[in-house]
Amino acid sequence: MAPRKLQIAAAGLGRMGHRHALNFLNRTPRAQLVAAFSPDPKEHEWAREHLEPYGVKLYSDYDEMLEQQGLDAVVIGTATSVHAEEAIKAMQKNLHVLCEKPLSTSVDVCRQVVEEAKKRPHLKVMCGFSRRFDDSYQNAYGKVADGQIGRPTILRSQTCDKHDPSGFFVEYAAWSGGVFVDMSVHDIDLTLWFFGNQIVPKSISAHGCIAVQPGLAQHKDVDNAVGIVEFWGGQIAYYYCTRMMAHGQEDVTEVIGTEGKLSVNLIPQNNLVRIYSDKGITQEVPAHYYGRFEMAFVKEANDFAAACLDDTPLPMPIENAVKAVQIGSWLQEALVTGKQIHFDQSGKRLERPNL
Amino acid sequence: MAPRKLQIAAAGLGRMGHRHALNFLNRTPRAQLVAAFSPDPKEHEWAREHLEPYGVKLYSDYDEMLEQQGLDAVVIGTATSVHAEEAIKAMQKNLHVLCEKPLSTSVDVCRQVVEEAKKRPHLKVMCGFSRRFDDSYQNAYGKVADGQIGRPTILRSQTCDKHDPSGFFVEYAAWSGGVFVDMSVHDIDLTLWFFGNQIVPKSISAHGCIAVQPGLAQHKDVDNAVGIVEFWGGQIAYYYCTRMMAHGQEDVTEVIGTEGKLSVNLIPQNNLVRIYSDKGITQEVPAHYYGRFEMAFVKEANDFAAACLDDTPLPMPIENAVKAVQIGSWLQEALVTGKQIHFDQSGKRLERPNL
Amino acid sequence: MAPRKLQIAAAGLGRMGHRHALNFLNRTPRAQLVAAFSPDPKEHEWAREHLEPYGVKLYSDYDEMLEQQGLDAVVIGTATSVHAEEAIKAMQKNLHVLCEKPLSTSVDVCRQVVEEAKKRPHLKVMCGFSRRFDDSYQNAYGKVADGQIGRPTILRSQTCDKHDPSGFFVEYAAWSGGVFVDMSVHDIDLTLWFFGNQIVPKSISAHGCIAVQPGLAQHKDVDNAVGIVEFWGGQIAYYYCTRMMAHGQEDVTEVIGTEGKLSVNLIPQNNLVRIYSDKGITQEVPAHYYGRFEMAFVKEANDFAAACLDDTPLPMPIENAVKAVQIGSWLQEALVTGKQIHFDQSGKRLERPNL
Amino acid sequence: MAPRKLQIAAAGLGRMGHRHALNFLNRTPRAQLVAAFSPDPKEHEWAREHLEPYGVKLYSDYDEMLEQQGLDAVVIGTATSVHAEEAIKAMQKNLHVLCEKPLSTSVDVCRQVVEEAKKRPHLKVMCGFSRRFDDSYQNAYGKVADGQIGRPTILRSQTCDKHDPSGFFVEYAAWSGGVFVDMSVHDIDLTLWFFGNQIVPKSISAHGCIAVQPGLAQHKDVDNAVGIVEFWGGQIAYYYCTRMMAHGQEDVTEVIGTEGKLSVNLIPQNNLVRIYSDKGITQEVPAHYYGRFEMAFVKEANDFAAACLDDTPLPMPIENAVKAVQIGSWLQEALVTGKQIHFDQSGKRLERPNL
């Protein structure tokens, strides 16, 4: 008899949601996509062609989908504003949850999800930080864990998007939580991974500027930002994020240890082709993060399915997802207020919030 | 109702065979692996764990497998010596065929397969040259087709394996057809692709030496070989193959045109990690061709399934598989005899065989 | 009759001093090294072999050397603590001055040199920031000036030295001015170059840690530091400096503009050799900054000679040397105090010094 | 008293000649350029401005220049057709000789120079193969000599020029000796260096085509050529040369040994700048060989001066210059005739010349 497959439902079929749905449908052998929800008629149209014929039942109501018999898990790829509520509802129906990052742009709301998850330790609840599932990052982490660079001390990481002149990101800034929460949260998550989840911030600084999207000012956001987080253990992480790149996605990480260094994706590349012309020798660059991380999302789906089916630990504790958003929020606060934020060794903030 | 999936059987579950089987089982959404054959009890053992539970029926007899009801296609990954026979039998049962390269190390036997295929134009018969399905090669081909390098004139291509000190390749040389047939056949296939299937050789030279595997001498083979093929249209391809690399797999191609150049995989890499140590800055290299071409094999399976289901053209004519082996054989002959081989403009050989 | 050569004297024959002397002796066709001063008998010994036979008169007294007939210029490569005094004395003798960076680790002392220089506008007085003379930086600057990246907005620059376990840098920290003054001053100078000498800091943050040289604590210095300088024009520069690199010198700069980006030395390399071994593919890295910038120092000597002989402008105003040290000092202060520093649009500091 | 400098005269002030003259004038501390000859009034005009003021006496007659008192050496950078005659005359005047490559395109004429040199073993006579003086090649050679790649077995080397649409190279082909003699001779010289001067060819093949310069046909030359030389010791060298590159100079060498591999200049670069634009990430490439090898020519001048003054061995025996031209001629013959050439173990050719 065939081994049981994880019966999973997809919530949200937009930009990322439909990718999660297709990954669970086609590229996750141990899972079976059995249901999908979207509030959007256009997304239903797409789903009727690409999901329904393969046995996926479609819903316009999330709660209704959760009632479907035999469900084991939900993958949540809806708008960030409903992530938390949907995740909590799913847990209350005793379902495993894979939620697109972030759980919420609000630290408090994130914490509610974590509280709910803690009540049900038998459930697998994961906030998907895709870089954790990327071959290159996993290889780098293995080398660090193996001691190849001594004690990791400095982490430089950046999330740099290709410039999108459509104005989308100005609107988006209204509710994105700001660039450090929206973009650098990936780099912060990497910091927790490479330095250890238990690290405690000691002080935080940040600066930013608006170079190409003047409209961001109304949302107190910027399109270029640099931040530094110093930790009590003697480590420092520093981040750069931008939405202004001419060439494409450039997500780079360097981890510098007392005895060596590792870099990941220092020179981004779309493939292994070089073009020789009178301009010189050129390598093309992925235009978007999915071009860089597609296979990491596939691995995430597979690892999540395996953890649910085999009851094995997830690669990252759900608390991390809160911690990453929390540090992102502090960076954003430091950026807006122009003041460093300080913490004692227990992680308690030393001054009153600057805002 | 769910769209019909290609019902496919896998012949051979060895080194490449089991990868084809798993790819069709898990990573080819439009295909369903329903049967598998192997003459080897150990491979059956593996299959009972990894295939049978998922509805794949196992056979120790190839002919018996072909009788299974509802089969549409066979993927052949057995030993080269039986490729042709199995392919012909499958066609005679009206099945589509995806056959690992080469059809045979004998040009005559290759031709029999092609003859058989020509009788059944409704069948999709493909000899899998995996590089045709590789993202980077496809990207490069698109640029050439787009005229970005002018008229492609020179092609340099190499197939270089990591040194295997086990002695396997000495034994293997007894029936591999020689390094040009076994290894460079990939580079020759790329030549047919980038220069056009219709190109006609004008002259061929080759040289080789034995550097690390003295036992090859008994099979008139070498472990390092360089060959040149000049074509009547004014193009030249030159090849290098070796089994002596210390660092891993290094399959490089350069296509030089009258107005530009492209390279593929000029500096092989295992991933996007760089390691900084007192030795310098290092990138690791895939140890084997599957590390380089894994996703190409997955794409091959998907494209083959689509061509069968949609009755669309395959990316390469089956005749190419003969032509590539033929050119490889001539290179091998030139290597062994130390004489150039010449052809007239129709492709007719000008001298009697040297051997 | 042969064109007149710049008659130059070298002060200091230590680590950098002897390189300046040899560059003016051998690799600066329009200059003639005619005198050299060192207080150190060992350096005299070296000079008797390498300088004296070629017509260079040696002195143990700096003032005495300045009296030598026919002198046009002095190149100062002594200890930082005497740079300013020697530069001023030379100007008072009506000599052009090329002074190793920095003029002084004290901003006030730097200013005295500048004051003295302003009194004698006919003299060429330059503080040698070698990167300004590096081919790659000059090429990058040309592209920026040419508008190829739009408006330069973000500058990331790092000065990273190979780890020196000898303890030298602990002692050195007593009088180096701190890592931002000693190391990042180069990156700050690049910032003034690429963003424009007139840019005004708006706010400054810095963080640092001690990872491998515990003795630095006694000098309130660190071995790893990250700092950010935000400018009123909407630009941001951020810096990393370390003395902990396992692999060698890694001085990298990236300039990100509204329409493109440039990087300089993103992957340092000793030469054009790649080594393929079972570890992967490796490029070696220069161990020290002179391995990276040797030819820049030669160009500096030649450009200085030309400016003196032809009375043409120097590539950088001497005021920059003060401004760079000033910004470095602020970064060091921000590092030590854990507080951001703010400035108004005229460059006036908004709070009282934190110290 | 100042150490004696090598008193050297420059013959020829054209493309390469004037560079040699300037290098000896300005960048060779142990040499003094004291005379220069050119038959060309335009070159005299240039010399009156750039050489004469610095004490260099100008001549329109080569023989007359050789009479100048105190001369030690001559650097010959005239047209290839007079290299040999001028070298022999210089030797007969007891002068050391540094001659641009090749001594001659005729093997017999080359041999006359060598005969003359052998009669005067106290003279330093060198044919300048500049790559021998390049940092990267020297570094690679050191690693090979050190055993880092085991026994060097395969050498791939190419000399690839940027396309010059002026028609110059068609005219030039009338007397250049053909592409293998003119271009690949550098790669052949590297082969002699890395495999050992004593290696004996076993067989030679070559193929070529005309892609962009149809006029070459009248001189039996081509603009793209590939050749293979197999040696009796079990090594193989293969070469590619072209004058068709869109991007610039691309002179690459790979040396593959039984235990590792080295590459030199695998990805050519003009400097350390990368340009990020919507095309991707680009590195510029030197347009000409002097952009790649400038510093090698400077080192050549310095090493030659040192060998003459100190009576130390030259880095390469003058016989090599003949051997390299000889192998180049055989490759050219194999190209034109379409036949392999074979040799016995003593190096004796086995068949009558094909021509």
Side-chain angles (χ1 to χ4, degrees):
Chain A
M1 195 192 120
R4 202 169 165 284
K5 294 191 174 196
L6 187 77
Q7 308 292 302
I8 193 165
L13 298 171
R15 196 174 54 148
M16 267 317 298
H18 89 283
R19 289 171 179 155
H20 283 299
L22 288 175
N23 285 344
F24 276 103
L25 181 66
N26 291 328
R27 305 207 272 186
T28 311
R30 299 185 67 190
Q32 184 162 10
L33 185 74
V34 294
F37 150 74
S38 167
D40 179 340
K42 273 201 186 150
E43 291 175 13
H44 268 265
E45 201 175 319
W46 174 86
R48 272 192 297 276
E49 183 181 351
H50 292 97
L51 303 181
E52 208 173 42
Y54 303 94
V56 180
K57 193 159 160 40
L58 305 184
Y59 296 88
S60 332
D61 184 280
Y62 179 73
D63 298 322
E64 205 180 314
M65 179 174 75
L66 294 189
E67 302 293 336
Q68 180 167 321
Q69 285 301 308
L71 272 193
D72 296 316
V74 180
V75 54
I76 298 174
T78 42
T80 298
S81 55
V82 295
H83 282 181
E85 184 192 346
E86 290 176 354
I88 290 170
K89 281 181 174 175
M91 287 187 269
Q92 289 169 345
K93 292 287 179 184
N94 206 37
L95 300 174
H96 304 295
V97 176
L98 170 56
C99 183
E100 247 308 289
K101 73 97 200 164
L103 293 173
S104 166
T105 59
S106 148
V107 176
D108 287 341
V109 175
C110 287
R111 284 208 184 104
Q112 294 168 25
V113 179
V114 171
E115 287 313 306
E116 203 66 32
K118 277 188 176 163
K119 294 183 204 159
R120 297 170 177 83
H122 66 288
L123 291 182
K124 305 294 169 187
V125 182
M126 185 161 85
C127 182
F129 283 96
S130 47
R131 296 186 196 177
R132 296 246 184 176
F133 301 91
D134 174 65
D135 268 1
S136 295
Y137 278 110
Q138 293 195 339
N139 181 283
Y141 182 78
K143 289 182 164 62
V144 169
D146 193 39
Q148 291 187 26
I149 64 164
R151 183 163 45 83
T153 302
I154 305 290
L155 186 142
R156 174 175 87 84
S157 198
Q158 66 180 36
T159 297
C160 298
D161 289 359
K162 193 176 169 77
H163 180 48
D164 169 357
S166 72
F168 169 78
F169 282 108
V170 173
E171 271 185 70
Y172 182 62
W175 47 273
S176 74
V179 286
F180 281 118
V181 173
D182 184 45
M183 302 181 77
S184 302
V185 71
H186 287 292
D187 306 295
I188 299 167
D189 176 58
L190 290 173
T191 310
L192 298 177
W193 190 21
F194 279 88
F195 284 170
N197 297 325
Q198 77 297 340
I199 46 166
V200 177
K202 182 179 179 186
S203 55
I204 289 177
S205 299
H207 298 254
C209 64
I210 296 177
V212 291
Q213 303 262 23
L216 290 170
Q218 71 199 80
H219 303 300
K220 294 199 174 176
D221 209 357
V222 296
D223 51 22
N224 281 272
V226 182
I228 309 173
V229 183
E230 186 182 337
F231 295 96
W232 273 103
Q235 303 97 334
I236 293 174
Y238 65 111
Y239 310 119
Y240 170 51
C241 59
T242 182
R243 302 205 194 272
M244 187 178 77
M245 288 299 180
H247 53 287
Q249 191 75 21
E250 187 185 343
D251 297 346
V252 176
T253 302
E254 296 184 298
V255 188
I256 301 157
T258 49
E259 295 165 31
K261 173 181 155 178
L262 295 168
S263 68
V264 177
N265 196 35
L266 192 57
I267 300 186
Q269 61 186 46
N270 211 20
N271 51 41
L272 303 171
V273 176
R274 282 181 169 82
I275 306 147
Y276 299 60
S277 73
D278 59 0
K279 304 295 183 205
I281 304 176
T282 300
Q283 281 197 283
E284 294 176 342
V285 174
H288 300 296
Y289 74 99
Y290 205 67
R292 165 69 181 88
F293 290 112
E294 178 176 352
M295 294 313 294
F297 283 98
V298 172
K299 191 163 196 315
E300 179 185 82
N302 281 275
D303 286 7
F304 176 72
C308 295
L309 291 168
D310 305 338
D311 194 14
T312 49
L314 290 165
M316 54 180 293
I318 186 70
E319 289 82 357
N320 263 21
V322 187
K323 194 165 180 176
V325 170
Q326 174 68 79
I327 292 175
S329 299
W330 284 326
L331 281 161
Q332 197 73 17
E333 179 189 328
L335 165 71
V336 172
T337 63
K339 293 198 183 147
Q340 264 185 37
I341 306 177
H342 295 261
F343 307 86
D344 71 13
Q345 298 205 35
S346 72
K348 198 169 145 278
R349 187 163 173 169
L350 288 176
E351 313 88 7
R352 300 159 64 89
N354 295 311
L355 288 170
Chain B
M1 194 191 122
R4 200 167 168 285
K5 294 191 174 195
L6 187 77
Q7 307 292 302
I8 193 164
L13 297 171
R15 196 174 55 148
M16 267 317 298
H18 88 282
R19 289 170 179 155
H20 283 300
L22 288 176
N23 285 345
F24 275 104
L25 180 67
N26 290 328
R27 305 206 273 186
T28 311
R30 298 185 69 191
Q32 185 163 8
L33 184 74
V34 294
F37 149 74
S38 167
D40 180 340
K42 274 203 186 147
E43 292 175 14
H44 269 263
E45 202 174 319
W46 174 86
R48 271 192 297 276
E49 182 181 354
H50 292 96
L51 304 182
E52 207 173 41
Y54 303 93
V56 181
K57 193 158 157 45
L58 306 185
Y59 296 87
S60 330
D61 184 280
Y62 179 72
D63 297 322
E64 206 181 313
M65 180 175 75
L66 295 189
E67 300 295 336
Q68 180 168 320
Q69 285 301 309
L71 270 194
D72 296 317
V74 180
V75 53
I76 298 175
T78 42
T80 298
S81 53
V82 294
H83 283 180
E85 183 192 346
E86 289 175 354
I88 290 171
K89 281 179 175 176
M91 287 186 269
Q92 289 168 345
K93 292 287 180 184
N94 206 38
L95 300 174
H96 304 295
V97 176
L98 171 56
C99 184
E100 248 308 289
K101 74 96 199 163
L103 293 174
S104 166
T105 59
S106 149
V107 176
D108 286 343
V109 175
C110 288
R111 285 209 184 101
Q112 293 169 27
V113 179
V114 171
E115 286 315 306
E116 203 65 31
K118 278 188 177 163
K119 294 182 203 161
R120 298 170 176 81
H122 66 288
L123 291 182
K124 305 296 171 187
V125 183
M126 185 161 86
C127 182
F129 283 95
S130 47
R131 296 186 196 177
R132 295 247 183 175
F133 300 91
D134 174 65
D135 268 2
S136 296
Y137 278 110
Q138 293 195 341
N139 180 285
Y141 183 78
K143 289 182 162 63
V144 168
D146 193 39
Q148 291 187 25
I149 63 165
R151 182 164 45 83
T153 302
I154 305 291
L155 186 142
R156 174 175 87 83
S157 199
Q158 66 181 34
T159 298
C160 298
D161 290 359
K162 193 175 170 76
H163 179 47
D164 169 357
S166 72
F168 169 78
F169 282 108
V170 174
E171 271 185 69
Y172 182 63
W175 47 273
S176 73
V179 286
F180 281 118
V181 173
D182 184 45
M183 302 181 75
S184 301
V185 72
H186 287 291
D187 306 295
I188 299 167
D189 176 60
L190 290 173
T191 309
L192 298 176
W193 190 20
F194 278 88
F195 283 170
N197 298 324
Q198 77 297 341
I199 46 167
V200 177
K202 184 179 180 186
S203 55
I204 289 177
S205 299
H207 298 254
C209 64
I210 296 177
V212 290
Q213 304 262 22
L216 290 169
Q218 72 199 79
H219 303 301
K220 294 200 175 176
D221 208 358
V222 297
D223 50 22
N224 281 273
V226 183
I228 310 174
V229 183
E230 187 181 336
F231 296 95
W232 273 104
Q235 303 97 334
I236 293 173
Y238 65 111
Y239 310 119
Y240 170 49
C241 60
T242 182
R243 301 205 195 272
M244 188 178 76
M245 289 298 180
H247 52 288
Q249 191 75 20
E250 187 184 345
D251 297 346
V252 176
T253 302
E254 296 184 298
V255 188
I256 301 157
T258 49
E259 295 166 31
K261 173 181 156 178
L262 295 168
S263 68
V264 177
N265 196 35
L266 192 56
I267 300 186
Q269 61 186 46
N270 211 21
N271 52 42
L272 302 170
V273 176
R274 282 181 170 82
I275 307 148
Y276 299 60
S277 73
D278 57 1
K279 305 295 183 204
I281 304 176
T282 300
Q283 281 197 282
E284 294 176 342
V285 174
H288 300 295
Y289 74 99
Y290 205 68
R292 165 69 181 90
F293 290 112
E294 177 176 353
M295 294 312 294
F297 282 99
V298 172
K299 190 162 195 317
E300 179 186 82
N302 281 275
D303 286 7
F304 176 73
C308 294
L309 291 168
D310 305 338
D311 194 13
T312 49
L314 289 166
M316 53 180 294
I318 185 70
E319 289 82 357
N320 263 19
V322 188
K323 195 166 181 174
V325 169
Q326 174 68 81
I327 292 175
S329 299
W330 283 326
L331 281 160
Q332 196 75 17
E333 178 189 329
L335 164 72
V336 171
T337 62
K339 292 198 183 147
Q340 264 185 39
I341 305 177
H342 295 261
F343 307 86
D344 70 13
Q345 299 205 34
S346 72
K348 197 170 146 277
R349 186 161 173 170
L350 288 176
E351 314 88 6
R352 301 158 63 90
N354 295 312
L355 287 170
Chain C
M1 194 191 122
R4 202 169 165 283
K5 294 191 174 196
L6 186 77
Q7 307 293 302
I8 192 165
L13 298 171
R15 196 173 55 146
M16 267 317 299
H18 88 283
R19 289 171 179 153
H20 283 299
L22 289 176
N23 284 345
F24 276 104
L25 181 65
N26 290 328
R27 306 206 273 185
T28 312
R30 299 186 67 191
Q32 184 163 8
L33 185 73
V34 294
F37 149 74
S38 168
D40 179 342
K42 275 202 184 148
E43 291 175 13
H44 268 264
E45 200 173 321
W46 174 85
R48 271 192 297 276
E49 181 180 353
H50 292 96
L51 304 182
E52 208 173 39
Y54 304 93
V56 180
K57 192 158 159 44
L58 305 185
Y59 295 88
S60 329
D61 184 281
Y62 179 73
D63 297 321
E64 205 180 314
M65 178 174 77
L66 294 190
E67 300 294 338
Q68 180 167 319
Q69 285 301 308
L71 270 194
D72 296 315
V74 179
V75 53
I76 297 175
T78 42
T80 298
S81 53
V82 295
H83 283 181
E85 184 192 345
E86 290 176 354
I88 289 171
K89 282 181 173 174
M91 287 187 269
Q92 289 168 346
K93 292 287 180 186
N94 207 36
L95 300 175
H96 303 294
V97 175
L98 171 56
C99 183
E100 247 308 289
K101 73 95 200 165
L103 294 174
S104 165
T105 59
S106 148
V107 176
D108 286 342
V109 175
C110 288
R111 285 211 184 100
Q112 294 168 27
V113 179
V114 172
E115 286 315 306
E116 203 65 30
K118 277 188 177 164
K119 294 183 204 159
R120 297 170 176 82
H122 66 288
L123 291 182
K124 305 294 170 188
V125 182
M126 185 160 84
C127 181
F129 283 95
S130 48
R131 297 186 196 176
R132 296 248 183 174
F133 301 91
D134 175 65
D135 268 0
S136 295
Y137 278 110
Q138 293 196 340
N139 180 284
Y141 183 78
K143 288 182 164 62
V144 169
D146 193 39
Q148 291 187 27
I149 63 164
R151 182 163 45 83
T153 302
I154 306 290
L155 186 142
R156 175 175 87 83
S157 199
Q158 66 181 32
T159 297
C160 297
D161 290 359
K162 193 175 169 76
H163 180 48
D164 170 356
S166 73
F168 169 79
F169 281 108
V170 173
E171 272 185 70
Y172 181 62
W175 46 272
S176 74
V179 286
F180 281 117
V181 173
D182 183 46
M183 302 181 77
S184 302
V185 73
H186 287 292
D187 306 296
I188 299 167
D189 176 60
L190 290 173
T191 309
L192 298 177
W193 190 20
F194 279 88
F195 284 169
N197 297 324
Q198 77 297 341
I199 46 166
V200 177
K202 183 180 178 186
S203 54
I204 289 177
S205 299
H207 299 254
C209 64
I210 296 177
V212 290
Q213 304 261 22
L216 290 170
Q218 72 199 77
H219 304 300
K220 294 200 175 177
D221 208 357
V222 296
D223 50 22
N224 282 273
V226 182
I228 309 173
V229 183
E230 186 181 336
F231 296 95
W232 273 103
Q235 304 96 334
I236 293 174
Y238 65 112
Y239 310 119
Y240 171 51
C241 60
T242 182
R243 303 206 194 271
M244 188 178 76
M245 288 300 180
H247 53 287
Q249 190 75 20
E250 187 184 346
D251 297 346
V252 176
T253 302
E254 296 185 297
V255 188
I256 301 157
T258 49
E259 295 165 30
K261 173 181 154 177
L262 295 168
S263 68
V264 177
N265 196 36
L266 191 56
I267 301 187
Q269 60 185 46
N270 211 21
N271 52 40
L272 303 171
V273 176
R274 281 181 171 82
I275 307 147
Y276 299 60
S277 73
D278 57 0
K279 303 296 184 205
I281 304 176
T282 300
Q283 281 197 281
E284 294 176 342
V285 174
H288 300 295
Y289 74 98
Y290 205 67
R292 165 69 181 89
F293 289 112
E294 177 176 353
M295 294 312 295
F297 282 98
V298 172
K299 190 163 196 314
E300 180 186 81
N302 281 275
D303 285 8
F304 176 73
C308 294
L309 291 168
D310 306 337
D311 194 13
T312 49
L314 290 166
M316 54 180 294
I318 185 71
E319 289 82 357
N320 263 19
V322 188
K323 195 166 181 175
V325 169
Q326 175 67 82
I327 292 176
S329 299
W330 283 327
L331 280 160
Q332 197 74 17
E333 179 189 328
L335 164 72
V336 171
T337 62
K339 292 198 184 147
Q340 264 186 38
I341 305 177
H342 295 261
F343 307 86
D344 70 13
Q345 297 204 36
S346 71
K348 195 168 146 280
R349 186 162 174 172
L350 288 177
E351 315 88 6
R352 301 159 63 89
N354 295 311
L355 288 171
Chain D
M1 195 192 122
R4 203 168 165 285
K5 294 191 174 197
L6 187 77
Q7 308 292 302
I8 192 164
L13 298 171
R15 196 174 54 147
M16 266 317 298
H18 89 282
R19 289 170 180 154
H20 283 300
L22 288 176
N23 285 345
F24 275 104
L25 181 65
N26 290 328
R27 304 207 272 185
T28 312
R30 299 185 66 190
Q32 185 162 9
L33 185 74
V34 293
F37 150 74
S38 167
D40 179 341
K42 274 202 185 149
E43 290 175 12
H44 268 263
E45 200 174 320
W46 174 87
R48 272 192 297 276
E49 182 180 354
H50 292 95
L51 304 181
E52 207 173 41
Y54 303 94
V56 180
K57 193 158 161 40
L58 305 184
Y59 295 89
S60 329
D61 184 280
Y62 180 73
D63 297 321
E64 204 180 315
M65 178 174 76
L66 293 190
E67 302 292 338
Q68 180 168 319
Q69 286 301 309
L71 270 194
D72 296 316
V74 180
V75 54
I76 299 175
T78 43
T80 298
S81 54
V82 294
H83 282 180
E85 184 192 345
E86 290 176 354
I88 289 170
K89 281 180 173 175
M91 287 187 270
Q92 289 169 346
K93 291 287 179 186
N94 206 35
L95 300 174
H96 304 295
V97 176
L98 170 56
C99 183
E100 248 307 288
K101 74 96 201 165
L103 293 174
S104 166
T105 60
S106 148
V107 176
D108 286 341
V109 175
C110 287
R111 284 209 184 100
Q112 294 168 26
V113 179
V114 172
E115 287 314 306
E116 203 66 31
K118 278 189 177 163
K119 293 184 204 158
R120 297 170 177 82
H122 65 289
L123 290 182
K124 305 294 170 188
V125 182
M126 185 160 83
C127 182
F129 283 96
S130 48
R131 296 185 198 178
R132 295 247 184 175
F133 301 92
D134 173 65
D135 268 1
S136 295
Y137 278 111
Q138 293 195 340
N139 180 284
Y141 183 78
K143 288 182 164 61
V144 169
D146 192 39
Q148 290 187 27
I149 64 165
R151 182 164 45 83
T153 302
I154 305 291
L155 186 142
R156 175 175 86 83
S157 198
Q158 66 181 34
T159 297
C160 297
D161 289 0
K162 193 175 169 78
H163 180 48
D164 169 357
S166 72
F168 169 78
F169 282 108
V170 173
E171 273 185 70
Y172 182 61
W175 46 274
S176 73
V179 286
F180 282 119
V181 173
D182 184 44
M183 302 181 77
S184 302
V185 72
H186 287 291
D187 305 296
I188 299 167
D189 176 60
L190 289 174
T191 310
L192 298 177
W193 191 20
F194 278 88
F195 284 169
N197 298 325
Q198 77 297 342
I199 46 167
V200 177
K202 182 180 179 186
S203 55
I204 289 177
S205 299
H207 299 253
C209 63
I210 296 177
V212 291
Q213 304 262 23
L216 291 170
Q218 72 199 76
H219 303 300
K220 295 201 175 174
D221 208 357
V222 296
D223 50 22
N224 282 273
V226 183
I228 309 173
V229 183
E230 186 182 335
F231 296 95
W232 273 104
Q235 302 97 334
I236 293 174
Y238 65 112
Y239 310 119
Y240 170 50
C241 59
T242 182
R243 302 204 194 272
M244 188 178 76
M245 288 298 179
H247 53 286
Q249 190 75 20
E250 187 185 344
D251 297 345
V252 177
T253 302
E254 296 184 298
V255 188
I256 301 158
T258 49
E259 295 165 30
K261 174 181 154 177
L262 296 168
S263 68
V264 177
N265 196 36
L266 190 57
I267 300 186
Q269 60 186 47
N270 211 20
N271 51 40
L272 302 172
V273 176
R274 281 180 170 82
I275 307 147
Y276 299 61
S277 73
D278 59 359
K279 304 295 183 206
I281 304 176
T282 300
Q283 281 196 281
E284 294 176 342
V285 174
H288 300 296
Y289 73 99
Y290 205 67
R292 165 69 181 89
F293 290 113
E294 178 175 353
M295 294 313 295
F297 282 99
V298 173
K299 191 164 197 314
E300 179 185 82
N302 281 276
D303 285 7
F304 176 72
C308 295
L309 290 168
D310 305 337
D311 194 14
T312 49
L314 290 166
M316 54 181 294
I318 185 69
E319 288 83 357
N320 263 20
V322 188
K323 194 165 182 175
V325 170
Q326 174 68 80
I327 292 176
S329 299
W330 284 326
L331 281 161
Q332 197 74 17
E333 178 189 330
L335 165 72
V336 171
T337 62
K339 292 200 184 145
Q340 265 186 37
I341 306 177
H342 295 260
F343 307 87
D344 70 13
Q345 297 205 34
S346 73
K348 196 167 147 280
R349 187 161 173 171
L350 287 177
E351 314 88 6
R352 300 159 63 91
N354 295 311
L355 287 170

